[in-house]
Amino acid sequence: MWIYRNSSTGQVVELPARDVRLDHLDVWLLIAEPAPEDLPEQVIELAPEPRPERPSENDNKAAWVAYAVARSMPEGDAKSLSKAALIEEFGRDNEED
């Protein structure tokens, strides 16, 4: 149980889950929380993000900038490069990360 106490009134509440609203109010203090072994184990499986399709060399620079950003290049860096530089960096087929 998550236990909160109101510092103005002394009221104590027990909740089965952490309350984001009470966490953001200055008068409510979290005074007890469950031990880690008491919390339910959450398993979240994330599907891998699909690899973006490589633009053709005839596509405009904006398409290459979007591709570079999708491949983890900062947008400002991608925009500062020429289309030819982007193709040189990201245009190889079967490129390994």
Side-chain angles (χ1 to χ4, degrees), residues 58-73:
N58 295 326
D59 283 329
N60 62 24
K61 180 181 174 185
W64 281 95
V65 168
Y67 182 67
V69 169
R71 298 288 307 273
S72 302
M73 178 177 268

Side-chain angles (χ1 to χ4, degrees), residues 23-89:
D23 285 338
H24 286 89
L25 296 172
D26 292 335
V27 296
W28 286 97
L29 305 172
L30 178 63
I31 59 173
E33 59 187 77
E37 60 270 7
D38 294 336
L39 294 173
E41 186 174 323
Q42 293 181 344
V43 177
I44 300 173
E45 292 185 28
L46 299 176
E49 289 190 29
R51 192 175 191 111
E53 189 172 323
R54 178 186 158 290
S56 77
E57 292 187 16
N58 295 326
D59 283 329
N60 62 24
K61 180 181 174 185
W64 281 95
V65 168
Y67 182 67
V69 169
R71 298 288 307 273
S72 302
M73 178 177 268
E75 186 174 2
D77 292 348
K79 285 182 176 180
S80 70
L81 294 175
S82 67
K83 177 182 166 183
L86 291 167
I87 292 172
E88 183 177 329
E89 180 72 26

